[in-house]
Amino acid sequence: MAGSIKDRVAIIGMGCTRFGELWDKGPSDLIVEAVSEAYADAGVEAKDIEAAWAGTIFSGMGGRSISEPLKLQYIPVTRVENACGSGHEAIRGAAYAVAAGIHDICLAVGFEKLKDEGTSGIPGMENRTNTHFQSSGPGMFAIMATRYFNRYGLSPEEGKTMLAKISIKSHHNGSLNPKAQYRNVLTLEQVLNAPMIAWPLGLFDCCGVSDGAAAAILTRADMAKKFRPDPVYIKALQICASPTSGRMTLEYDYTHVEEAYRAGMAAYAEAGIKEPRKEISMAEVHDCFSITEAVTMEDLQYSPRGRVKEDIEAGTFHLDGELPVQPDGGLKCFGHPIGASGIRMLYELYLQLQGRAEKRQIKDPKLGLAHNMGNEPYAPVVSVCVVGL
Amino acid sequence: MIGITSYGAYIPWHRIDRQNFVKAWGGFAIPGERAVASYDEDSVTMSVEAARDCLGDIDPHTVDGLFFATTTSPYKEKQCSALIGMPLDLRRDIRTADITTSLRSGTTAVALALDTIKAGTASSILVTVADSRMAAPGGMTEQGLGDGAAALLLGTDNVIAEIQESYSISDEFAGTWRSESDTFVRSWEDRMVLDEGYSKILPEAVSGLMNKCGLSPKDFAKAVFDPSGDVRRHGRAAAALGFDPSQLQDPLGLFMNVGLTGCAMASMMLVSALEEAKPGDKILFAGFGNGADAFLLEVTDAIEKLGERRGMRKHLESKRMLENYNDYLRWRELVPLEMARRPEKQHIRLSAIWRERRVLLGLWGVKCRRCGTPQYDNGAMSTSPIRVCAVCQAQDDFEDYNFAGRKAKIFSFTHDQLAQVADPPASVVLIDFEGGGRAFFDLTDRDPDKIEVGMEVEMTFRKMGLDRGITNYFWKARPIRC
């Protein structure tokens, strides 16, 4: 690799709306709320922004999707889409522009207004010939759980209990977060007795569908302290797009996500991280379903293959554990307004690194990792961002 | 020698006890059960099933024609035999025809196939006969009808039953009918239908055939002919013709277990007869409807060399009972149902399904010439056709590789309660094919409680949906049927 983003770009301001079924808010409400918080946080104004990137899948087209509500004045604005990693893609666009020395101050916004469809779920799962198998999104991740249980000899009860503990942990964190969609604490009994969505995943194994937006203002590392004493630096930005061989060849085990492993390893290399479990202070990962979080812990080298259960049971990923995961509650408590999720994750890491996470504050974090995974486990686009002081 | 060279049959896996109709509507239940085509089956898919059973190991490229007989074609304008040729991998330079609208379409298709071969235009013609007729809910007809299919391969080589003579009657009389816009079967008062129709016209054709060949009833080992709507009249017609009850291919078993399968009835009965037949047996085969067709068949020694078929016997035994009448109503789309609040399905794109017709209708994938990996792509984004190898990334260096006839094992699965389907939950499997290749498919004809990783499945041609008049067909997996 010719270059690295490490310590070349700093985040100097961030904003994030409350996530939820925001019936009374349109896309412009979400965008303006998130961005105005970021402006204020960075101490900049709209006129200071030199270029902007917008990450959304369903809620806008073109750069106009944010230049219009924000009334950005004739600057370059680009909309990007990279499945569930669209928010990270917006960050990447802005960070690379700053690192390239083209712009000094850039804005990245991720947003999605999903709750105007009148239906539950996320549209767009069909193929061109309408011959796609009749599965919902949860079904594709359920197949991973079936396989994981089978491969590692977990009975359905053992497997479901392992997954339940992931959701219980995340809901505990979410209950402490005023911006979360769901703030209810869960019991094991509640999770295990919840209605089945796609066997073996029940209701609380799945994240919700919500509206939300998050924004970040980026500048050159050498300029960052002019804006604030505690900027957060980008250490790594990696994306791995699947060749989608996993559904076509017998080699793929469907108990890991190769793209997550590769994006994670590339990010560790870029950030100079040798021992991820020791060096990473906290992680926000793409827990669209509880099984995804379990497998991601193994892909990111936090737990040995097939043994995440031990770490889940030991409380390793609790807020007060060795490596807190989803300190803000994760997708599990925020839902997944697709374009917004990646930047929402960074927002939590940013607050934590600055010691501003209130009841959720982790002691003295140094490095945080955000991981997004788009599409299905056998054919995803995965993005991994590492940020730190 | 021209005659039948192979046979096959298909009966849907699902049956409903006729008591369920009475539970829903009151009244009187006909004894027994009837076969119910699944929500993803129709006359086209059942024809494909019967034809695949019939072809067995026979090279489909040796077939010179395909006649599809039905009164329940999914199309008024579009030939289904051309479509059925795709999953069967028939050649392109063949004669195809849909023979429709009459309850004797099945036997008429056999007559036309016979004459085409006699004329030297073809040396082998496949006849598929399928029906899935509907009666308005609440009546006895709904209980009496059933769904099923048969396939007969006619040709000149390896004839198992020579067709020695045929005789046809044309008669305008119709006891049942459906207009251009009718969904359900209509009929006239049954006494008139039986007395003036069935009981006169069918015997006329049978007698005509016997006169033409100089044979009498005692010369036949088996008499296979259509029953009337009232199956009791079958025996009476046979007796009037001079047949002994022991000679009859009794339709009662089929009626009690499957129901009246429209224009497929006589051919399905013939398959049952051939399953029991011995070399030298003479068989009378006749179909009724707007006249009648009758044939003289003589079974040859070759019947003993015909390989195993699922036929009628195995398909009859393999079944699952529907628990209630609501499933039947839902599958036949007889009641409007509340739609789940899920994202709407997109329209079918004719250009896309046409472009990928071999991949979708034939289940053709590829095998990489460089690394030898078989591949089939049924992905969300539909990246097919495959242009670059998933394993070695070689471009455009493939040979055709067919997955339709290959068994596979379940690598993983889910039962999805969220997806809107006619038979919830949506069972979806990721399967590994024998010899390589992996793909996702819907799993149909399954009991969700019995699905396990490692279970063996086979491929079945099914209906995926209907949109703007286009029925979209594709393949699903199912546990090995029988």
Side-chain angles (χ1 to χ4, degrees), chain A residues 5-336:
Chain A
I5 196 75
K6 186 183 180 188
D7 293 331
R8 293 167 70 180
V9 180
I11 304 174
I12 52 168
M14 289 198 79
C16 182
T17 66
R18 186 172 74 80
F19 280 32
E21 293 173 332
L22 307 178
W23 308 114
D24 60 346
K25 289 192 197 301
S28 72
D29 292 312
L30 301 170
I31 292 162
V32 169
E33 267 183 44
V35 173
S36 56
E37 184 189 339
Y39 286 160
D41 186 44
V44 301
E45 295 174 51
K47 66 175 172 49
D48 299 321
I49 304 297
E50 296 172 24
W53 277 260
T56 186
I57 292 190
F58 298 113
S59 307
M61 188 178 275
R64 229 182 91 175
S65 58
I66 60 168
S67 66
E68 186 170 308
L70 293 168
K71 297 294 178 283
L72 298 175
Q73 298 293 304
Y74 310 105
I75 61 168
V77 182
T78 306
R79 175 206 163 204
V80 292
E81 179 277 307
N82 209 346
C84 301
S86 297
H88 282 176
E89 193 62 67
I91 293 279
R92 205 164 75 117
Y96 280 14
V98 169
I102 309 296
H103 297 294
D104 286 341
I105 301 178
C106 291
L107 169 69
V109 187
F111 65 98
E112 214 76 61
K113 176 68 198 175
L114 292 175
K115 296 308 298 183
D116 275 345
E117 302 300 319
T119 58
S120 62
I122 292 168
M125 296 291 290
E126 276 177 282
N127 64 6
R128 190 165 287 276
T129 54
N130 302 71
T131 49
H132 195 252
F133 36 95
Q134 306 179 69
S135 172
S136 64
M140 287 300 91
F141 289 84
I143 279 181
M144 176 171 249
T146 301
R147 196 67 215 160
Y148 192 95
F149 295 178
N150 181 276
R151 178 171 180 185
Y152 295 114
L154 303 177
S155 69
E157 294 70 31
E158 288 169 332
K160 282 189 63 65
T161 302
M162 173 184 93
L163 296 180
K165 288 177 180 168
I166 292 171
S167 300
I168 293 167
K169 175 264 300 164
S170 295
H171 270 256
H172 168 266
N173 300 353
S175 75
L176 305 174
N177 195 333
K179 290 192 170 175
Q181 177 182 20
Y182 300 119
R183 301 192 60 195
N184 53 323
V185 178
L186 297 177
T187 65
L188 183 62
E189 197 182 23
Q190 244 178 314
V191 180
L192 293 180
N193 293 332
M196 193 56 72
I197 299 296
W199 195 93
L201 301 180
L203 181 66
F204 293 113
D205 290 305
C206 309
C207 77
V209 176
S210 61
D211 306 320
I217 292 166
L218 280 65
T219 191
R220 282 162 33 195
D222 60 356
M223 289 171 58
K225 292 218 166 149
K226 287 187 204 161
F227 294 92
R228 64 183 314 130
D230 54 356
V232 166
Y233 298 91
I234 294 177
K235 306 291 183 182
L237 284 178
Q238 290 294 330
I239 289 177
C240 179
S242 176
T244 79
S245 306
R247 66 161 185 266
M248 290 166 62
T249 63
L250 307 185
E251 284 70 34
Y252 176 51
D253 58 22
Y254 220 124
T255 56
H256 86 292
V257 176
E258 182 67 21
E259 295 76 6
Y261 169 72
R262 296 207 186 204
M265 295 307 275
Y268 296 147
E270 186 171 30
I273 293 167
K274 305 270 185 309
E275 294 180 272
R277 179 163 172 155
K278 276 190 190 160
E279 294 177 56
I280 298 284
S281 318
M282 59 191 165
E284 285 282 339
V285 304
H286 194 85
D287 59 330
C288 49
F289 303 95
S290 49
I291 183 65
T292 324
E293 182 173 324
V295 164
T296 303
M297 295 301 98
E298 299 181 7
D299 290 330
L300 294 178
Q301 309 293 295
Y302 300 153
S303 303
R305 288 276 172 223
R307 290 171 58 189
V308 69
K309 184 165 172 276
E310 295 165 27
D311 281 318
I312 290 167
E313 282 168 359
T316 306
F317 308 123
H318 286 199
L319 210 47
D320 57 358
E322 181 190 334
L323 171 48
V325 173
Q326 327 297 45
D328 67 355
L331 270 67
K332 189 73 206 62
C333 295
F334 270 81
H336 184 30

